Amino acid sequence: MEDILLDLSNEYQNKLDIEGFSNMMKNPSYCYKFYWLEAIVGLISEGIERTTFNDIIDEMISNAWYSVNEFHIHLSGIVQGDVRDGLERAILKLKEISGLNSNASKVEIKNAIEKYDDQICKDKTQLTNMVPYRALAGFFNKGNEAVNWDSISRLVEYIRIFNEKYTKLPYVLGTSSGLKREVIFNPAWIKMIQDNTVPILGWIQYEKVKWLQNNNPEVPGLVYKLAPMDGKMRKLGSVRKLWEGIMDSVEIRDVFTGDKIVKKQYDVDHFIPWSFVMNDELWNLMPMDSSLNSSKSNKLPKWDPFFKSFAENQFVLYGLIHEQEGIHKLFENCYRDNLHSIWAGQELYRKGNTKEEFFNILQKNMQPVYDSARRQGYEVWGRG
């Protein structure tokens, strides 16, 4: 990532303070600093030359919406059970009052922001208390005057004078108050950002992922949880054929209802939600009644009693892959997309496990993942 900034420094040497620009990502106290710069770069890439705090905050909410609501990502961690990050709080409040889906489009999100603006205005305003000013702090080491961080009006004036006296800043601020305060982008910075939008956004993404992973240490595959995923990434075809082969030999009961699974009336679903594990591993997949899938959705089934039923079905699968050649071939077809976990290949599906051993291996490896998802805030689902 440093190579990107080095290339920019060479290209714009003596024109722009690229080092100061690189400092915009350093030493953040909250994640919304990343989203602030990301929103600015996005707006500039669309040809915007002048905007407001309000429009930038709306862009930030839209950009972070999916990660917070679909994957329960905490933008700046949790302290004593409370969400630290103001951007995350604003998103959660908007979700609660609007009822929007986690995969809502940017247009839908911004329409909801406008509709419920009075109710989230305080949360949006809090996001402007420091980050628009602190984001420029990395440039200020070229000045001789001390920065007065305790007065917004003096900060706005300091930024104006610094921009004229020392070096051109990416933006200066207008004199309107609150969310209406203007953000005016410098033409030279506009050109630089428009010429380098993709690498700059890649740099922001890289720094953001490092921050988020540090604040969500138990979340797997976090880099894939920052934007809606392509549905084509889901690889369940081989697993479905395997379960249908099993159903041709034995009766399989639904984990949640106890009823017989009927072909063409079931879905292959994840016990621990896909949105948390971000994979289609065989050990976490089960056939379930299609009518229940929308109810379960992105929730964790109650561990008791459902894990036992889930493990029973997994053990039936295990027994047949070692007893029937045809089932074993269907199992082998799952290797490429659904059998990547080393523990599953070396322990769970090895020949010779007793039922008790199989259950213990499955529980030993699944329960910590399940518990992590619960701590992350995933809702627990119990049929009915």
Side-chain angles (χ1 to χ4, degrees):
M1 289 297 117
E2 286 75 11
D3 291 343
I4 293 172
L5 301 178
L6 179 62
D7 290 343
L8 294 178
S9 182
N10 292 335
E11 183 179 354
Y12 293 93
Q13 190 174 17
N14 300 323
K15 296 180 182 178
L16 298 173
D17 184 1
I18 300 300
E19 182 182 356
F21 185 70
S22 72
N23 288 334
M24 293 183 79
M25 290 290 95
K26 289 187 178 177
N27 303 318
S29 299
Y30 294 92
C31 188
Y32 54 77
K33 188 174 184 179
F34 300 110
Y35 284 99
W36 171 264
L37 183 56
E38 181 183 52
I40 285 174
V41 171
L43 290 169
I44 288 175
S45 72
E46 295 171 4
I48 303 297
E49 299 178 1
R50 184 187 183 101
T51 186
T52 63
F53 280 1
N54 188 70
D55 288 346
I56 294 174
I57 298 300
D58 288 356
E59 195 76 9
M60 291 165 63
I61 291 172
S62 300
N63 290 342
W65 177 271
Y66 187 71
S67 299
V68 169
N69 288 315
E70 178 71 9
F71 299 119
H72 304 275
I73 299 298
H74 296 305
L75 300 185
S76 299
I78 298 288
V79 175
Q80 296 181 344
D82 295 327
V83 171
R84 285 188 70 232
D85 199 285
L87 178 58
E88 183 179 348
R89 289 197 297 271
I91 290 168
L92 292 173
K93 178 178 284 187
L94 181 62
K95 174 74 163 64
E96 181 182 1
I97 60 181
S98 70
L100 270 184
N101 291 328
S102 58
N103 61 349
S105 68
K106 180 172 283 191
V107 171
E108 291 173 318
I109 296 167
K110 289 192 174 181
N111 286 341
I113 294 172
E114 183 177 3
K115 181 177 180 180
Y116 299 102
D117 192 64
D118 289 346
Q119 292 166 276
I120 62 171
C121 181
K122 182 178 178 180
D123 299 276
K124 289 172 61 176
T125 301
Q126 185 271 327
L127 293 172
T128 68
N129 286 346
M130 268 298 139
V131 73
Y133 318 98
R134 289 283 184 185
L136 297 173
F139 293 92
F140 295 160
N141 56 14
K142 287 183 167 53
N144 297 320
E145 299 85 358
V147 185
N148 186 340
W149 294 105
D150 297 326
S151 169
I152 296 299
S153 60
R154 290 182 181 178
L155 277 172
V156 172
E157 181 63 10
Y158 179 90
I159 289 168
R160 184 189 68 78
I161 295 172
F162 186 95
N163 182 71
E164 294 176 355
K165 186 175 180 180
Y166 295 106
T167 186
K168 293 300 180 184
L169 297 170
Y171 58 84
V172 293
L173 302 171
T175 56
S176 296
S177 61
L179 291 169
K180 293 181 180 180
R181 190 178 297 279
E182 302 86 358
V183 180
I184 303 100
F185 301 124
N186 182 284
W189 282 100
I190 289 175
K191 184 178 187 309
M192 189 282 284
I193 290 172
Q194 289 179 341
D195 288 346
N196 299 277
T197 298
V198 172
I200 290 172
L201 287 176
W203 164 59
I204 296 171
Q205 180 98 326
Y206 174 75
E207 296 295 334
K208 188 202 300 181
V209 167
K210 288 196 299 183
W211 169 275
L212 290 172
Q213 193 66 75
N214 186 56
N215 282 277
N216 298 268
E218 295 184 302
V219 175
L222 193 144
V223 68
Y224 302 110
K225 298 181 176 181
L226 301 184
M229 300 290 290
D230 184 350
K232 294 179 181 178
M233 291 185 65
R234 309 292 290 275
K235 305 290 186 180
L236 300 175
S238 296
V239 176
R240 189 174 184 90
K241 289 178 182 177
L242 173 59
W243 277 111
E244 290 189 352
I246 291 168
M247 289 178 207
D248 287 337
S249 298
V250 297
E251 189 176 88
I252 296 295
R253 296 278 171 175
D254 184 276
V255 168
F256 306 113
T257 66
D259 297 334
K260 178 183 175 181
I261 295 285
V262 179
K263 279 190 175 184
K264 298 183 180 180
Q265 295 181 26
Y266 78 97
D267 294 327
V268 173
D269 194 34
H270 300 69
F271 189 82
I272 303 170
W274 176 85
S275 64
F276 184 75
V277 296
M278 292 297 287
N279 62 52
D280 293 316
E281 291 288 297
L282 181 62
W283 52 264
N284 188 40
L285 293 169
M286 59 187 173
M288 67 174 290
D289 191 313
S290 299
S291 65
L292 290 176
N293 205 352
S294 60
S295 173
K296 176 181 175 290
S297 186
N298 192 29
K299 302 183 183 74
L300 285 164
K302 287 182 179 178
W303 185 264
D304 294 319
F306 296 135
F307 175 76
K308 184 176 184 297
S309 302
F310 172 78
E312 291 277 0
N313 282 348
Q314 279 279 335
F315 187 69
V316 170
L317 178 154
Y318 169 77
L320 288 176
I321 65 175
H322 292 296
E323 294 171 7
Q324 296 187 21
E325 184 178 351
I327 300 296
H328 192 80
K329 286 183 177 179
L330 292 173
F331 173 72
E332 289 178 337
N333 291 340
C334 297
Y335 284 171
R336 187 183 68 177
D337 296 322
N338 313 107
L339 285 164
H340 298 144
S341 299
I342 295 174
W343 67 267
Q346 294 183 353
E347 296 182 60
L348 187 68
Y349 296 120
R350 70 185 175 191
K351 190 173 183 179
N353 284 328
T354 65
K355 185 174 184 178
E356 182 180 3
E357 288 170 336
F358 184 89
F359 272 43
N360 287 340
I361 293 167
L362 192 60
Q363 179 169 347
K364 178 185 72 175
N365 288 279
M366 284 189 70
Q367 189 151 26
V369 182
Y370 181 97
D371 291 342
S372 292
R374 285 213 54 186
R375 286 191 291 272
Q376 199 64 26
Y378 277 74
E379 183 180 347
V380 175
W381 175 81
R383 175 177 166 262

